[in-house]
Amino acid sequence: MALEAAGGPPEETLSLWKREQARLKAHVVDRDTETWQRDPAFSGLQRVGGVDVSFVKGDSVRACASLVVLSFPELEVVYEESRMVSLTAPYVSGFLAFREVPFLLELVQQLREKEPGLMPQVLLVDGNGVLHHRGFGVACHLGVLTDLPCVGVAKKLLQVDGLENNALHKEKIRLLQTQGDSFPLLGDSGTVLGMALRSHDRSTRPLYISVGHRMSLEAAVRLTRCCCRFRIPEPVRQADICSREHIRKSLGLPGPPTPRSPKAQRPVACPKGDSGESSALC
């Protein structure tokens, strides 16, 4: 999602960003706020959103921001919107939100105004939530500003609070044998910052799930698993496809369209509930 750029903002800008993160962090809710989040089958959840920012190859300024909404549990795209944007803020580790969230926020607000019936009930974000240098990553930032439940879904471990991608961490990953296996990301502070989740049987690389806003970590992990037809949860995967395809069309780049979804792909069974039966097909 992020592309590192040369140089960086002045110290006064970083100080301003830190103060803004601290101010907004006070509004983060790290528990379930919706009835459907506490239901083993996610009964009542009908729309799941995903966001992504993709970059023009070799260009640290031009990018495409995308929002998609999928039906749940079918995981079919019911809404998508992409727009080319110019990123004026440089990439600085720990401050990704100031580079990308303004454009994602505009997409959510546009949907809220034009098609309120298609508003997602939760957003899956390509990035971290509370698993962050200051406990306020892009998923928290977007969640607080939109007031939507948000889940951080990262592809790589952000090494904060003593978390390291060392031999012990790699051994824990090796022990994730099947889809749905996970282990907590316990920082030196004693805080569980997220979960490492094996999201698909065909991938040994875990996802790093963290709370963004208005959703517990347990529910966030369950929902992510339910949304995975492949390693990457479908809302995030479809947002990525949508943004890359928009770039291809906008710039007249050669190549065939990216396939959206395999025709024969069956829904994934969600984790089992107390009855021992799959709680939902998702």
Side-chain angles (χ1 to χ4, degrees), residues 75-111:
L75 299 179
E76 299 295 336
V77 176
V78 297
Y79 174 88
E80 60 182 59
E81 181 64 34
S82 297
R83 63 176 61 170
M84 296 298 296
V85 298
S86 294
L87 303 174
T88 55
Y91 171 76
V92 182
S93 179
F95 298 98
L96 175 64
F98 293 96
R99 183 167 166 84
E100 300 183 356
V101 161
F103 305 107
L104 300 175
L105 180 60
E106 287 178 3
L107 289 172
V108 173
Q109 290 174 333
Q110 175 182 295
L111 174 57

PDB file of all heavy atoms in Angstrom, residues 75-111:
ATOM      1  N   LEU A  75     -19.460 -12.491  -0.604  1.00  0.00           N
ATOM      2  CA  LEU A  75     -18.208 -11.842  -1.025  1.00  0.00           C
ATOM      3  C   LEU A  75     -18.221 -11.488  -2.506  1.00  0.00           C
ATOM      4  O   LEU A  75     -17.244 -11.665  -3.226  1.00  0.00           O
ATOM      5  CB  LEU A  75     -16.987 -12.719  -0.692  1.00  0.00           C
ATOM      6  CG  LEU A  75     -16.786 -13.020   0.800  1.00  0.00           C
ATOM      7  CD1 LEU A  75     -15.572 -13.908   1.006  1.00  0.00           C
ATOM      8  CD2 LEU A  75     -16.653 -11.733   1.612  1.00  0.00           C
ATOM      9  N   GLU A  76     -19.361 -10.962  -2.956  1.00  0.00           N
ATOM     10  CA  GLU A  76     -19.491 -10.451  -4.321  1.00  0.00           C
ATOM     11  C   GLU A  76     -19.443  -8.927  -4.283  1.00  0.00           C
ATOM     12  O   GLU A  76     -20.046  -8.300  -3.405  1.00  0.00           O
ATOM     13  CB  GLU A  76     -20.806 -10.917  -4.949  1.00  0.00           C
ATOM     14  CG  GLU A  76     -20.942 -12.429  -5.063  1.00  0.00           C
ATOM     15  CD  GLU A  76     -19.935 -13.052  -6.014  1.00  0.00           C
ATOM     16  OE1 GLU A  76     -19.455 -12.328  -6.920  1.00  0.00           O
ATOM     17  OE2 GLU A  76     -19.615 -14.241  -5.843  1.00  0.00           O
ATOM     18  N   VAL A  77     -18.752  -8.327  -5.243  1.00  0.00           N
ATOM     19  CA  VAL A  77     -18.615  -6.867  -5.280  1.00  0.00           C
ATOM     20  C   VAL A  77     -19.961  -6.231  -5.628  1.00  0.00           C
ATOM     21  O   VAL A  77     -20.561  -6.554  -6.648  1.00  0.00           O
ATOM     22  CB  VAL A  77     -17.545  -6.435  -6.301  1.00  0.00           C
ATOM     23  CG1 VAL A  77     -17.481  -4.908  -6.404  1.00  0.00           C
ATOM     24  CG2 VAL A  77     -16.176  -6.994  -5.922  1.00  0.00           C
ATOM     25  N   VAL A  78     -20.428  -5.323  -4.765  1.00  0.00           N
ATOM     26  CA  VAL A  78     -21.694  -4.623  -5.016  1.00  0.00           C
ATOM     27  C   VAL A  78     -21.471  -3.132  -5.259  1.00  0.00           C
ATOM     28  O   VAL A  78     -22.378  -2.425  -5.696  1.00  0.00           O
ATOM     29  CB  VAL A  78     -22.680  -4.819  -3.843  1.00  0.00           C
ATOM     30  CG1 VAL A  78     -23.051  -6.290  -3.700  1.00  0.00           C
ATOM     31  CG2 VAL A  78     -22.112  -4.280  -2.532  1.00  0.00           C
ATOM     32  N   TYR A  79     -20.259  -2.660  -4.959  1.00  0.00           N
ATOM     33  CA  TYR A  79     -19.936  -1.248  -5.198  1.00  0.00           C
ATOM     34  C   TYR A  79     -18.425  -1.119  -5.319  1.00  0.00           C
ATOM     35  O   TYR A  79     -17.669  -1.807  -4.619  1.00  0.00           O
ATOM     36  CB  TYR A  79     -20.419  -0.380  -4.028  1.00  0.00           C
ATOM     37  CG  TYR A  79     -20.002   1.073  -4.128  1.00  0.00           C
ATOM     38  CD1 TYR A  79     -20.793   2.006  -4.800  1.00  0.00           C
ATOM     39  CD2 TYR A  79     -18.807   1.520  -3.544  1.00  0.00           C
ATOM     40  CE1 TYR A  79     -20.409   3.340  -4.895  1.00  0.00           C
ATOM     41  CE2 TYR A  79     -18.424   2.850  -3.632  1.00  0.00           C
ATOM     42  CZ  TYR A  79     -19.225   3.755  -4.308  1.00  0.00           C
ATOM     43  OH  TYR A  79     -18.838   5.071  -4.405  1.00  0.00           O
ATOM     44  N   GLU A  80     -17.992  -0.261  -6.228  1.00  0.00           N
ATOM     45  CA  GLU A  80     -16.566   0.038  -6.316  1.00  0.00           C
ATOM     46  C   GLU A  80     -16.384   1.451  -6.855  1.00  0.00           C
ATOM     47  O   GLU A  80     -17.163   1.926  -7.684  1.00  0.00           O
ATOM     48  CB  GLU A  80     -15.840  -0.959  -7.213  1.00  0.00           C
ATOM     49  CG  GLU A  80     -16.330  -1.012  -8.652  1.00  0.00           C
ATOM     50  CD  GLU A  80     -15.587  -2.056  -9.464  1.00  0.00           C
ATOM     51  OE1 GLU A  80     -15.628  -3.248  -9.099  1.00  0.00           O
ATOM     52  OE2 GLU A  80     -14.956  -1.665 -10.463  1.00  0.00           O
ATOM     53  N   GLU A  81     -15.373   2.108  -6.355  1.00  0.00           N
ATOM     54  CA  GLU A  81     -15.050   3.461  -6.806  1.00  0.00           C
ATOM     55  C   GLU A  81     -13.541   3.651  -6.696  1.00  0.00           C
ATOM     56  O   GLU A  81     -12.931   3.300  -5.678  1.00  0.00           O
ATOM     57  CB  GLU A  81     -15.770   4.510  -5.955  1.00  0.00           C
ATOM     58  CG  GLU A  81     -15.516   5.934  -6.376  1.00  0.00           C
ATOM     59  CD  GLU A  81     -16.043   6.259  -7.773  1.00  0.00           C
ATOM     60  OE1 GLU A  81     -17.102   5.688  -8.155  1.00  0.00           O
ATOM     61  OE2 GLU A  81     -15.409   7.066  -8.468  1.00  0.00           O
ATOM     62  N   SER A  82     -12.954   4.185  -7.746  1.00  0.00           N
ATOM     63  CA  SER A  82     -11.520   4.454  -7.769  1.00  0.00           C
ATOM     64  C   SER A  82     -11.290   5.849  -8.325  1.00  0.00           C
ATOM     65  O   SER A  82     -12.062   6.327  -9.159  1.00  0.00           O
ATOM     66  CB  SER A  82     -10.776   3.432  -8.652  1.00  0.00           C
ATOM     67  OG  SER A  82     -10.910   2.128  -8.142  1.00  0.00           O
ATOM     68  N   ARG A  83     -10.224   6.468  -7.876  1.00  0.00           N
ATOM     69  CA  ARG A  83      -9.867   7.770  -8.438  1.00  0.00           C
ATOM     70  C   ARG A  83      -8.347   7.947  -8.370  1.00  0.00           C
ATOM     71  O   ARG A  83      -7.693   7.504  -7.425  1.00  0.00           O
ATOM     72  CB  ARG A  83     -10.563   8.901  -7.695  1.00  0.00           C
ATOM     73  CG  ARG A  83     -10.192   9.054  -6.241  1.00  0.00           C
ATOM     74  CD  ARG A  83     -10.863  10.270  -5.599  1.00  0.00           C
ATOM     75  NE  ARG A  83     -12.307  10.171  -5.647  1.00  0.00           N
ATOM     76  CZ  ARG A  83     -13.119  10.994  -4.999  1.00  0.00           C
ATOM     77  NH1 ARG A  83     -12.615  11.944  -4.234  1.00  0.00           N
ATOM     78  NH2 ARG A  83     -14.429  10.866  -5.077  1.00  0.00           N
ATOM     79  N   MET A  84      -7.810   8.585  -9.403  1.00  0.00           N
ATOM     80  CA  MET A  84      -6.400   8.908  -9.422  1.00  0.00           C
ATOM     81  C   MET A  84      -6.159  10.073  -8.467  1.00  0.00           C
ATOM     82  O   MET A  84      -6.954  11.013  -8.410  1.00  0.00           O
ATOM     83  CB  MET A  84      -5.933   9.277 -10.824  1.00  0.00           C
ATOM     84  CG  MET A  84      -6.043   8.141 -11.838  1.00  0.00           C
ATOM     85  SD  MET A  84      -5.032   6.686 -11.430  1.00  0.00           S
ATOM     86  CE  MET A  84      -3.371   7.379 -11.537  1.00  0.00           C
ATOM     87  N   VAL A  85      -5.076  10.001  -7.704  1.00  0.00           N
ATOM     88  CA  VAL A  85      -4.767  11.041  -6.725  1.00  0.00           C
ATOM     89  C   VAL A  85      -3.283  11.386  -6.797  1.00  0.00           C
ATOM     90  O   VAL A  85      -2.466  10.602  -7.309  1.00  0.00           O
ATOM     91  CB  VAL A  85      -5.112  10.585  -5.289  1.00  0.00           C
ATOM     92  CG1 VAL A  85      -6.600  10.295  -5.167  1.00  0.00           C
ATOM     93  CG2 VAL A  85      -4.300   9.357  -4.889  1.00  0.00           C
ATOM     94  N   SER A  86      -2.944  12.542  -6.291  1.00  0.00           N
ATOM     95  CA  SER A  86      -1.543  12.967  -6.175  1.00  0.00           C
ATOM     96  C   SER A  86      -1.205  13.053  -4.699  1.00  0.00           C
ATOM     97  O   SER A  86      -1.823  13.819  -3.953  1.00  0.00           O
ATOM     98  CB  SER A  86      -1.334  14.329  -6.842  1.00  0.00           C
ATOM     99  OG  SER A  86      -1.533  14.242  -8.234  1.00  0.00           O
ATOM    100  N   LEU A  87      -0.247  12.255  -4.279  1.00  0.00           N
ATOM    101  CA  LEU A  87       0.127  12.195  -2.872  1.00  0.00           C
ATOM    102  C   LEU A  87       1.176  13.261  -2.579  1.00  0.00           C
ATOM    103  O   LEU A  87       2.303  13.177  -3.050  1.00  0.00           O
ATOM    104  CB  LEU A  87       0.667  10.808  -2.530  1.00  0.00           C
ATOM    105  CG  LEU A  87      -0.287   9.656  -2.836  1.00  0.00           C
ATOM    106  CD1 LEU A  87       0.388   8.323  -2.600  1.00  0.00           C
ATOM    107  CD2 LEU A  87      -1.538   9.759  -1.992  1.00  0.00           C
ATOM    108  N   THR A  88       0.802  14.248  -1.814  1.00  0.00           N
ATOM    109  CA  THR A  88       1.711  15.361  -1.532  1.00  0.00           C
ATOM    110  C   THR A  88       2.542  15.116  -0.272  1.00  0.00           C
ATOM    111  O   THR A  88       3.671  15.599  -0.172  1.00  0.00           O
ATOM    112  CB  THR A  88       0.917  16.666  -1.363  1.00  0.00           C
ATOM    113  OG1 THR A  88      -0.084  16.479  -0.355  1.00  0.00           O
ATOM    114  CG2 THR A  88       0.237  17.043  -2.676  1.00  0.00           C
ATOM    115  N   ALA A  89       2.007  14.382   0.679  1.00  0.00           N
ATOM    116  CA  ALA A  89       2.758  14.085   1.903  1.00  0.00           C
ATOM    117  C   ALA A  89       3.741  12.943   1.630  1.00  0.00           C
ATOM    118  O   ALA A  89       3.385  11.954   1.002  1.00  0.00           O
ATOM    119  CB  ALA A  89       1.815  13.694   3.032  1.00  0.00           C
ATOM    120  N   PRO A  90       4.969  13.063   2.095  1.00  0.00           N
ATOM    121  CA  PRO A  90       5.953  11.992   1.874  1.00  0.00           C
ATOM    122  C   PRO A  90       5.650  10.777   2.743  1.00  0.00           C
ATOM    123  O   PRO A  90       4.938  10.889   3.743  1.00  0.00           O
ATOM    124  CB  PRO A  90       7.276  12.643   2.279  1.00  0.00           C
ATOM    125  CG  PRO A  90       6.881  13.645   3.314  1.00  0.00           C
ATOM    126  CD  PRO A  90       5.543  14.184   2.866  1.00  0.00           C
ATOM    127  N   TYR A  91       6.191   9.632   2.345  1.00  0.00           N
ATOM    128  CA  TYR A  91       6.030   8.439   3.178  1.00  0.00           C
ATOM    129  C   TYR A  91       7.024   8.508   4.329  1.00  0.00           C
ATOM    130  O   TYR A  91       8.230   8.659   4.125  1.00  0.00           O
ATOM    131  CB  TYR A  91       6.268   7.158   2.382  1.00  0.00           C
ATOM    132  CG  TYR A  91       6.328   5.946   3.291  1.00  0.00           C
ATOM    133  CD1 TYR A  91       5.172   5.408   3.835  1.00  0.00           C
ATOM    134  CD2 TYR A  91       7.552   5.378   3.652  1.00  0.00           C
ATOM    135  CE1 TYR A  91       5.214   4.327   4.702  1.00  0.00           C
ATOM    136  CE2 TYR A  91       7.612   4.300   4.517  1.00  0.00           C
ATOM    137  CZ  TYR A  91       6.446   3.778   5.033  1.00  0.00           C
ATOM    138  OH  TYR A  91       6.494   2.715   5.897  1.00  0.00           O
ATOM    139  N   VAL A  92       6.514   8.380   5.541  1.00  0.00           N
ATOM    140  CA  VAL A  92       7.338   8.290   6.740  1.00  0.00           C
ATOM    141  C   VAL A  92       6.788   7.140   7.565  1.00  0.00           C
ATOM    142  O   VAL A  92       5.586   7.095   7.845  1.00  0.00           O
ATOM    143  CB  VAL A  92       7.309   9.591   7.573  1.00  0.00           C
ATOM    144  CG1 VAL A  92       8.229   9.456   8.793  1.00  0.00           C
ATOM    145  CG2 VAL A  92       7.714  10.788   6.734  1.00  0.00           C
ATOM    146  N   SER A  93       7.650   6.203   7.939  1.00  0.00           N
ATOM    147  CA  SER A  93       7.203   5.056   8.725  1.00  0.00           C
ATOM    148  C   SER A  93       6.489   5.521   9.984  1.00  0.00           C
ATOM    149  O   SER A  93       6.984   6.371  10.725  1.00  0.00           O
ATOM    150  CB  SER A  93       8.407   4.196   9.109  1.00  0.00           C
ATOM    151  OG  SER A  93       8.000   3.086   9.887  1.00  0.00           O
ATOM    152  N   GLY A  94       5.291   4.981  10.209  1.00  0.00           N
ATOM    153  CA  GLY A  94       4.502   5.350  11.370  1.00  0.00           C
ATOM    154  C   GLY A  94       3.511   6.466  11.114  1.00  0.00           C
ATOM    155  O   GLY A  94       2.691   6.778  11.976  1.00  0.00           O
ATOM    156  N   PHE A  95       3.591   7.073   9.905  1.00  0.00           N
ATOM    157  CA  PHE A  95       2.698   8.187   9.578  1.00  0.00           C
ATOM    158  C   PHE A  95       2.015   7.982   8.224  1.00  0.00           C
ATOM    159  O   PHE A  95       1.670   8.945   7.544  1.00  0.00           O
ATOM    160  CB  PHE A  95       3.478   9.505   9.558  1.00  0.00           C
ATOM    161  CG  PHE A  95       4.095   9.868  10.880  1.00  0.00           C
ATOM    162  CD1 PHE A  95       5.421   9.585  11.134  1.00  0.00           C
ATOM    163  CD2 PHE A  95       3.336  10.484  11.871  1.00  0.00           C
ATOM    164  CE1 PHE A  95       5.998   9.919  12.340  1.00  0.00           C
ATOM    165  CE2 PHE A  95       3.905  10.811  13.087  1.00  0.00           C
ATOM    166  CZ  PHE A  95       5.243  10.531  13.339  1.00  0.00           C
ATOM    167  N   LEU A  96       1.811   6.728   7.849  1.00  0.00           N
ATOM    168  CA  LEU A  96       1.214   6.408   6.560  1.00  0.00           C
ATOM    169  C   LEU A  96      -0.151   7.066   6.383  1.00  0.00           C
ATOM    170  O   LEU A  96      -0.509   7.492   5.276  1.00  0.00           O
ATOM    171  CB  LEU A  96       1.076   4.883   6.418  1.00  0.00           C
ATOM    172  CG  LEU A  96       0.365   4.360   5.173  1.00  0.00           C
ATOM    173  CD1 LEU A  96       1.148   4.728   3.922  1.00  0.00           C
ATOM    174  CD2 LEU A  96       0.183   2.850   5.266  1.00  0.00           C
ATOM    175  N   ALA A  97      -0.906   7.180   7.460  1.00  0.00           N
ATOM    176  CA  ALA A  97      -2.275   7.709   7.370  1.00  0.00           C
ATOM    177  C   ALA A  97      -2.310   9.121   6.802  1.00  0.00           C
ATOM    178  O   ALA A  97      -3.234   9.476   6.064  1.00  0.00           O
ATOM    179  CB  ALA A  97      -2.942   7.681   8.741  1.00  0.00           C
ATOM    180  N   PHE A  98      -1.320   9.928   7.129  1.00  0.00           N
ATOM    181  CA  PHE A  98      -1.331  11.312   6.661  1.00  0.00           C
ATOM    182  C   PHE A  98      -1.074  11.394   5.156  1.00  0.00           C
ATOM    183  O   PHE A  98      -1.371  12.411   4.527  1.00  0.00           O
ATOM    184  CB  PHE A  98      -0.295  12.131   7.429  1.00  0.00           C
ATOM    185  CG  PHE A  98      -0.642  12.279   8.872  1.00  0.00           C
ATOM    186  CD1 PHE A  98      -0.095  11.426   9.825  1.00  0.00           C
ATOM    187  CD2 PHE A  98      -1.552  13.241   9.294  1.00  0.00           C
ATOM    188  CE1 PHE A  98      -0.434  11.538  11.169  1.00  0.00           C
ATOM    189  CE2 PHE A  98      -1.901  13.363  10.629  1.00  0.00           C
ATOM    190  CZ  PHE A  98      -1.344  12.500  11.572  1.00  0.00           C
ATOM    191  N   ARG A  99      -0.577  10.327   4.595  1.00  0.00           N
ATOM    192  CA  ARG A  99      -0.318  10.259   3.159  1.00  0.00           C
ATOM    193  C   ARG A  99      -1.515   9.727   2.390  1.00  0.00           C
ATOM    194  O   ARG A  99      -1.807  10.166   1.284  1.00  0.00           O
ATOM    195  CB  ARG A  99       0.910   9.372   2.919  1.00  0.00           C
ATOM    196  CG  ARG A  99       1.374   9.230   1.481  1.00  0.00           C
ATOM    197  CD  ARG A  99       2.757   8.599   1.494  1.00  0.00           C
ATOM    198  NE  ARG A  99       3.184   8.109   0.193  1.00  0.00           N
ATOM    199  CZ  ARG A  99       3.746   8.859  -0.749  1.00  0.00           C
ATOM    200  NH1 ARG A  99       3.901  10.154  -0.549  1.00  0.00           N
ATOM    201  NH2 ARG A  99       4.135   8.333  -1.892  1.00  0.00           N
ATOM    202  N   GLU A 100      -2.253   8.776   2.992  1.00  0.00           N
ATOM    203  CA  GLU A 100      -3.270   8.050   2.237  1.00  0.00           C
ATOM    204  C   GLU A 100      -4.707   8.231   2.724  1.00  0.00           C
ATOM    205  O   GLU A 100      -5.648   8.191   1.927  1.00  0.00           O
ATOM    206  CB  GLU A 100      -2.919   6.558   2.227  1.00  0.00           C
ATOM    207  CG  GLU A 100      -1.569   6.261   1.599  1.00  0.00           C
ATOM    208  CD  GLU A 100      -1.263   4.779   1.517  1.00  0.00           C
ATOM    209  OE1 GLU A 100      -2.080   3.972   2.018  1.00  0.00           O
ATOM    210  OE2 GLU A 100      -0.220   4.411   0.958  1.00  0.00           O
ATOM    211  N   VAL A 101      -4.911   8.413   4.031  1.00  0.00           N
ATOM    212  CA  VAL A 101      -6.270   8.440   4.575  1.00  0.00           C
ATOM    213  C   VAL A 101      -7.152   9.551   4.004  1.00  0.00           C
ATOM    214  O   VAL A 101      -8.351   9.323   3.782  1.00  0.00           O
ATOM    215  CB  VAL A 101      -6.239   8.494   6.119  1.00  0.00           C
ATOM    216  CG1 VAL A 101      -7.565   8.976   6.685  1.00  0.00           C
ATOM    217  CG2 VAL A 101      -5.914   7.117   6.689  1.00  0.00           C
ATOM    218  N   PRO A 102      -6.628  10.759   3.731  1.00  0.00           N
ATOM    219  CA  PRO A 102      -7.524  11.800   3.198  1.00  0.00           C
ATOM    220  C   PRO A 102      -8.276  11.362   1.943  1.00  0.00           C
ATOM    221  O   PRO A 102      -9.466  11.679   1.787  1.00  0.00           O
ATOM    222  CB  PRO A 102      -6.574  12.965   2.900  1.00  0.00           C
ATOM    223  CG  PRO A 102      -5.467  12.797   3.888  1.00  0.00           C
ATOM    224  CD  PRO A 102      -5.277  11.309   4.001  1.00  0.00           C
ATOM    225  N   PHE A 103      -7.625  10.604   1.078  1.00  0.00           N
ATOM    226  CA  PHE A 103      -8.265  10.162  -0.165  1.00  0.00           C
ATOM    227  C   PHE A 103      -9.253   9.035   0.103  1.00  0.00           C
ATOM    228  O   PHE A 103     -10.322   8.976  -0.519  1.00  0.00           O
ATOM    229  CB  PHE A 103      -7.196   9.712  -1.163  1.00  0.00           C
ATOM    230  CG  PHE A 103      -6.153  10.765  -1.412  1.00  0.00           C
ATOM    231  CD1 PHE A 103      -4.873  10.624  -0.902  1.00  0.00           C
ATOM    232  CD2 PHE A 103      -6.453  11.908  -2.136  1.00  0.00           C
ATOM    233  CE1 PHE A 103      -3.910  11.595  -1.111  1.00  0.00           C
ATOM    234  CE2 PHE A 103      -5.506  12.888  -2.353  1.00  0.00           C
ATOM    235  CZ  PHE A 103      -4.219  12.739  -1.838  1.00  0.00           C
ATOM    236  N   LEU A 104      -8.924   8.151   1.037  1.00  0.00           N
ATOM    237  CA  LEU A 104      -9.848   7.075   1.385  1.00  0.00           C
ATOM    238  C   LEU A 104     -11.070   7.630   2.105  1.00  0.00           C
ATOM    239  O   LEU A 104     -12.199   7.171   1.887  1.00  0.00           O
ATOM    240  CB  LEU A 104      -9.131   6.045   2.266  1.00  0.00           C
ATOM    241  CG  LEU A 104      -7.898   5.377   1.635  1.00  0.00           C
ATOM    242  CD1 LEU A 104      -7.212   4.462   2.641  1.00  0.00           C
ATOM    243  CD2 LEU A 104      -8.276   4.613   0.378  1.00  0.00           C
ATOM    244  N   LEU A 105     -10.857   8.626   2.926  1.00  0.00           N
ATOM    245  CA  LEU A 105     -11.963   9.273   3.634  1.00  0.00           C
ATOM    246  C   LEU A 105     -12.929   9.914   2.645  1.00  0.00           C
ATOM    247  O   LEU A 105     -14.156   9.814   2.802  1.00  0.00           O
ATOM    248  CB  LEU A 105     -11.418  10.321   4.603  1.00  0.00           C
ATOM    249  CG  LEU A 105     -12.433  11.099   5.439  1.00  0.00           C
ATOM    250  CD1 LEU A 105     -13.251  10.165   6.311  1.00  0.00           C
ATOM    251  CD2 LEU A 105     -11.716  12.134   6.301  1.00  0.00           C
ATOM    252  N   GLU A 106     -12.406  10.547   1.604  1.00  0.00           N
ATOM    253  CA  GLU A 106     -13.257  11.156   0.578  1.00  0.00           C
ATOM    254  C   GLU A 106     -14.121  10.107  -0.116  1.00  0.00           C
ATOM    255  O   GLU A 106     -15.301  10.344  -0.391  1.00  0.00           O
ATOM    256  CB  GLU A 106     -12.390  11.881  -0.452  1.00  0.00           C
ATOM    257  CG  GLU A 106     -11.782  13.175   0.043  1.00  0.00           C
ATOM    258  CD  GLU A 106     -10.902  13.829  -1.006  1.00  0.00           C
ATOM    259  OE1 GLU A 106     -10.816  13.280  -2.142  1.00  0.00           O
ATOM    260  OE2 GLU A 106     -10.293  14.869  -0.712  1.00  0.00           O
ATOM    261  N   LEU A 107     -13.545   8.939  -0.390  1.00  0.00           N
ATOM    262  CA  LEU A 107     -14.303   7.874  -1.047  1.00  0.00           C
ATOM    263  C   LEU A 107     -15.438   7.383  -0.149  1.00  0.00           C
ATOM    264  O   LEU A 107     -16.546   7.123  -0.621  1.00  0.00           O
ATOM    265  CB  LEU A 107     -13.371   6.721  -1.415  1.00  0.00           C
ATOM    266  CG  LEU A 107     -12.379   6.983  -2.552  1.00  0.00           C
ATOM    267  CD1 LEU A 107     -11.397   5.820  -2.676  1.00  0.00           C
ATOM    268  CD2 LEU A 107     -13.109   7.199  -3.875  1.00  0.00           C
ATOM    269  N   VAL A 108     -15.165   7.228   1.137  1.00  0.00           N
ATOM    270  CA  VAL A 108     -16.199   6.777   2.073  1.00  0.00           C
ATOM    271  C   VAL A 108     -17.298   7.831   2.195  1.00  0.00           C
ATOM    272  O   VAL A 108     -18.495   7.513   2.182  1.00  0.00           O
ATOM    273  CB  VAL A 108     -15.588   6.470   3.459  1.00  0.00           C
ATOM    274  CG1 VAL A 108     -16.688   6.156   4.475  1.00  0.00           C
ATOM    275  CG2 VAL A 108     -14.617   5.294   3.356  1.00  0.00           C
ATOM    276  N   GLN A 109     -16.913   9.086   2.292  1.00  0.00           N
ATOM    277  CA  GLN A 109     -17.900  10.161   2.415  1.00  0.00           C
ATOM    278  C   GLN A 109     -18.759  10.277   1.161  1.00  0.00           C
ATOM    279  O   GLN A 109     -19.968  10.526   1.245  1.00  0.00           O
ATOM    280  CB  GLN A 109     -17.184  11.484   2.708  1.00  0.00           C
ATOM    281  CG  GLN A 109     -16.570  11.544   4.088  1.00  0.00           C
ATOM    282  CD  GLN A 109     -15.738  12.793   4.316  1.00  0.00           C
ATOM    283  OE1 GLN A 109     -15.203  13.386   3.378  1.00  0.00           O
ATOM    284  NE2 GLN A 109     -15.610  13.199   5.574  1.00  0.00           N
ATOM    285  N   GLN A 110     -18.145  10.066   0.003  1.00  0.00           N
ATOM    286  CA  GLN A 110     -18.896  10.101  -1.258  1.00  0.00           C
ATOM    287  C   GLN A 110     -19.947   9.000  -1.288  1.00  0.00           C
ATOM    288  O   GLN A 110     -21.102   9.230  -1.677  1.00  0.00           O
ATOM    289  CB  GLN A 110     -17.943   9.939  -2.443  1.00  0.00           C
ATOM    290  CG  GLN A 110     -18.638   9.834  -3.799  1.00  0.00           C
ATOM    291  CD  GLN A 110     -17.646   9.614  -4.929  1.00  0.00           C
ATOM    292  OE1 GLN A 110     -16.827  10.461  -5.218  1.00  0.00           O
ATOM    293  NE2 GLN A 110     -17.724   8.454  -5.559  1.00  0.00           N
ATOM    294  N   LEU A 111     -19.564   7.814  -0.863  1.00  0.00           N
ATOM    295  CA  LEU A 111     -20.516   6.702  -0.819  1.00  0.00           C
ATOM    296  C   LEU A 111     -21.633   6.988   0.179  1.00  0.00           C
ATOM    297  O   LEU A 111     -22.813   6.729  -0.092  1.00  0.00           O
ATOM    298  CB  LEU A 111     -19.790   5.409  -0.450  1.00  0.00           C
ATOM    299  CG  LEU A 111     -20.666   4.170  -0.219  1.00  0.00           C
ATOM    300  CD1 LEU A 111     -21.513   3.859  -1.437  1.00  0.00           C
ATOM    301  CD2 LEU A 111     -19.795   2.971   0.155  1.00  0.00           C
TER     302      LEU A 111
END
